Amino acid sequence: MATVLERIATQVFSRTAFSGLATTRAQQAIVDTIGCMVAGAFDPTPQSVAKAFLNEIGPNGVSMVFTGGRASPSIAALVNGTAAHCLDFDDNFHPARAHASAVLVPALLAIASADDAISGHQLVRAYLAGLEAQAAVGFGVNPSHYNKGWHATSTVGCIGAAAGVAVLLGLDEVAVAQAMSIATSFAAGPKGQFGTPVKPLHAGMAARNAVDAAYLARAGITGKLDILEGPQGFLGLFGGAEQAGWSALSWDESHIIETRGLVTKLHPCCASTHRVIDAARDLQKEHGFVLDDVRRIDTKVGRSAVDNLAYPDPADEMQARFSMQYCLAAALLQGGLSLADFTREAIFRPQIRRQMPKIFMSAFSVEEERGAERIAHQVSVTLLDGRTVRTERLHANGAIAMPLTDAERQSKFLDCLRWAGVEDDGIEGTLADIGCVTSVRERLGSLEDLLRAHQSPLSLASSTDRCPQIMMR
């Protein structure tokens, strides 16, 4: 009987045709993540990572590094993955409980930016392979794995992304499985690091590990192919008390990006806050209150969300991204959040700090969550006039059930450019058709030149049918 890794490898290796919807969503995810990498590149965390490996970054490396210079694919993936995740503006992928693209895109671009022969079609296929592999690995261990305290971006993300990198390198089905086996031994990352610079480093680690695992598999290193489900394997060590395993694992004819999709973030902060922010904004729009009209706000969220949001009184901008009190107060006071809300100066604004004690957070019980893959987050607002208004959200804005508009996508991308100090001059199409280009490296070279000159003809085109369907052979 085939092992779980062999089944996953067979699935992602054999799926070579993708619908227009899958292709478009993959391209959107890649562009969105590149925007996050551009915005994050000069954050202190990826800058420190680049500094740690300064002797390996220079003009003669093969892979593009978003903080500047070029390096080996391994180091480029590490730095760029950290940049993608450091502002917590990158997407979420619920089936893996991971920031899927912050691992996948930097890992794949590390390979593609080093090889003129890799096309946009190959990049998209590898992205979709890695995403499907992440979902399959996550199927067997989540939500128990995540609730136990593992940062699935760094664990599940690493294993799944290794499959995507292996596909991009042109490895065969056996080597794809071996890349995931090797990556399983690299998987690590506790959620206890949330609110610190190590949290975005997890994405960089996972991207680097995915690249290294695929290269090792290509060189002939082998591991156990039952390392997910076998004795002393991933499930037993990482699965948690309510592990499901993979006996019921199956695949739809439609790709997971079509059936479940990604959540493209509208707010640059921990996703555990987003459904509450969106629900509270729904109430604010409906009832017309401002924060000075509010006596208290009660929120009820999943147990893992409470664990993630550990900073009711954040001391720095990283902690503020993991503070329900700060994020919700700022969003209600201003009507939304932007990258500018997460600076040292911004997080101590008196007009926000005085509102934060009104906000309370509680968790659903184990019994309430048992058997529910997803549970709606609830918000109750008690007003000074005695009224109490309530609502809930099962999905955040940006999920496929509540998709961002083209205008919202472009606004986010431009916010990322502005944050990096890059001016957009209105030239269309530099990145939007990345899934269609003959050479990804050539297109990224253009991006590299533009960033170096601090001029950006990048803009996020609306959802297009430029590549309505691709077929991989």
Side-chain angles (χ1 to χ4, degrees), residues 9 33 35 45 51 75 90 105 136 138 148 157 217 233 268 273 280 289 329 365 382 398 412 417 444:
T33 308
T45 300
K51 182 179 179 180
I75 296 300
D90 51 300
V105 175
K148 185 177 175 66
T273 67
F289 62 82
S365 67
T382 302
K412 173 182 175 176
L417 295 184
L444 291 175

Side-chain angles (χ1 to χ4, degrees), residues 36-47 66-68 79-80 83-84 86-87 420:
C36 293
M37 284 191 279
V38 171
F42 295 101
D43 183 84
T45 300
Q47 285 287 310
F66 276 66
T67 57
V79 176
N80 294 342
C86 68
L87 302 177

Side-chain angles (χ1 to χ4, degrees), residues 154-224:
S154 193
T155 54
V156 172
C158 163
I159 301 168
V165 176
V167 167
L168 190 61
L169 288 173
L171 304 190
D172 63 22
E173 186 176 328
V174 174
V176 171
Q178 286 294 349
M180 287 189 287
S181 176
I182 295 165
T184 303
S185 288
F186 293 157
K191 289 201 297 173
Q193 297 284 18
F194 282 19
T196 78
V198 175
K199 197 258 189 179
L201 179 62
H202 285 174
M205 289 163 43
R208 177 183 185 171
N209 290 338
V211 168
D212 289 347
Y215 277 137
L216 288 165
R218 186 173 70 173
I221 296 293
T222 60
K224 285 190 173 181

Side-chain angles (χ1 to χ4, degrees), residues 36 133 151 467:
C36 293
H151 188 194
C467 295

Side-chain angles (χ1 to χ4, degrees), residues 6-65:
E6 288 173 315
R7 292 169 60 200
I8 297 172
T10 297
Q11 171 64 21
V12 302
F13 186 81
S14 62
R15 193 193 284 272
T16 57
F18 302 95
S19 70
L21 177 61
T23 302
T24 295
R25 285 183 177 171
Q27 289 186 148
Q28 288 174 338
I30 291 167
V31 173
D32 182 75
T33 308
I34 290 174
C36 293
M37 284 191 279
V38 171
F42 295 101
D43 183 84
T45 300
Q47 285 287 310
S48 294
V49 175
K51 182 179 179 180
F53 296 94
L54 194 59
N55 62 332
E56 300 186 47
I57 302 174
N60 299 319
V62 295
S63 297
M64 178 182 175
V65 182

Side-chain angles (χ1 to χ4, degrees), residues 276-295:
V276 165
I277 290 171
D278 293 337
R281 287 282 294 132
D282 291 342
L283 289 174
Q284 189 177 46
K285 292 171 187 175
E286 180 180 355
H287 298 282
F289 62 82
V290 297
L291 270 177
D292 283 339
D293 300 328
V294 173
R295 186 185 305 279

Side-chain angles (χ1 to χ4, degrees), residues 111-421:
I111 305 300
S113 65
D115 187 345
D116 283 323
I118 293 177
S119 70
H121 285 189
Q122 291 171 300
L123 178 69
V124 167
R125 181 198 173 187
Y127 176 87
L128 292 169
L131 193 71
E132 192 162 39
Q134 286 193 38
V137 174
F139 178 89
V141 293
N142 282 321
S144 185
H145 171 72
Y146 188 82
N147 290 341
K148 185 177 175 66
W150 291 107
H151 188 194
T153 298
S154 193
T155 54
V156 172
C158 163
I159 301 168
V165 176
V167 167
L168 190 61
L169 288 173
L171 304 190
D172 63 22
E173 186 176 328
V174 174
V176 171
Q178 286 294 349
M180 287 189 287
S181 176
I182 295 165
T184 303
S185 288
F186 293 157
K191 289 201 297 173
Q193 297 284 18
F194 282 19
T196 78
V198 175
K199 197 258 189 179
L201 179 62
H202 285 174
M205 289 163 43
R208 177 183 185 171
N209 290 338
V211 168
D212 289 347
Y215 277 137
L216 288 165
R218 186 173 70 173
I221 296 293
T222 60
K224 285 190 173 181
L225 291 177
D226 68 346
I227 196 61
L228 291 187
E229 74 276 26
Q232 300 184 89
F234 188 72
L235 184 65
L237 297 175
F238 288 72
E242 300 176 16
Q243 55 185 261
W246 292 273
S247 60
L249 177 65
S250 63
W251 288 274
D252 294 330
E253 182 177 347
S254 297
H255 192 277
I256 194 81
I257 203 170
E258 299 174 77
T259 58
R260 298 294 300 275
L262 298 148
V263 182
T264 306
K265 280 191 172 184
L266 189 60
H267 316 299
C269 52
C270 179
S272 296
T273 67
H274 285 211
R275 285 183 277 166
V276 165
I277 290 171
D278 293 337
R281 287 282 294 132
D282 291 342
L283 289 174
Q284 189 177 46
K285 292 171 187 175
E286 180 180 355
H287 298 282
F289 62 82
V290 297
L291 270 177
D292 283 339
D293 300 328
V294 173
R295 186 185 305 279
R296 65 180 285 149
I297 300 175
D298 292 284
T299 70
K300 191 172 184 180
V301 298
R303 288 176 293 133
S304 64
V306 170
D307 292 339
N308 294 345
L309 303 174
Y311 301 98
D313 184 24
D316 57 42
E317 61 270 40
M318 186 66 77
Q319 290 184 6
R321 295 185 178 99
F322 296 86
S323 171
M324 177 69 83
Q325 288 75 13
Y326 175 78
C327 293
L328 183 55
L332 288 176
L333 189 69
Q334 304 167 160
L337 293 168
S338 73
L339 289 167
D341 290 306
F342 296 92
T343 65
R344 295 284 178 125
E345 182 178 347
I347 67 168
F348 289 109
R349 287 171 288 178
Q351 63 269 38
I352 293 177
R353 287 282 169 162
R354 69 182 177 84
Q355 302 286 356
M356 288 164 55
K358 298 177 179 180
I359 297 171
F360 301 86
M361 181 173 58
S362 63
F364 291 103
S365 67
V366 174
E367 290 72 25
E368 287 174 309
E369 287 193 347
R370 183 170 287 118
E373 182 187 358
R374 193 163 183 79
I375 192 165
H377 287 185
Q378 301 173 358
V379 178
S380 175
V381 179
T382 302
L383 300 169
L384 291 175
D385 63 11
R387 290 181 296 154
T388 297
V389 293
R390 300 180 177 86
T391 193
E392 63 182 25
R393 274 290 197 112
L394 183 62
H395 300 287
N397 292 335
I400 62 171
M402 309 284 292
L404 300 189
T405 65
D406 291 336
E408 286 172 327
R409 287 181 180 277
Q410 183 159 7
S411 177
K412 173 182 175 176
F413 194 78
L414 294 178
D415 189 25
C416 289
L417 295 184
R418 285 191 298 269
W419 187 251

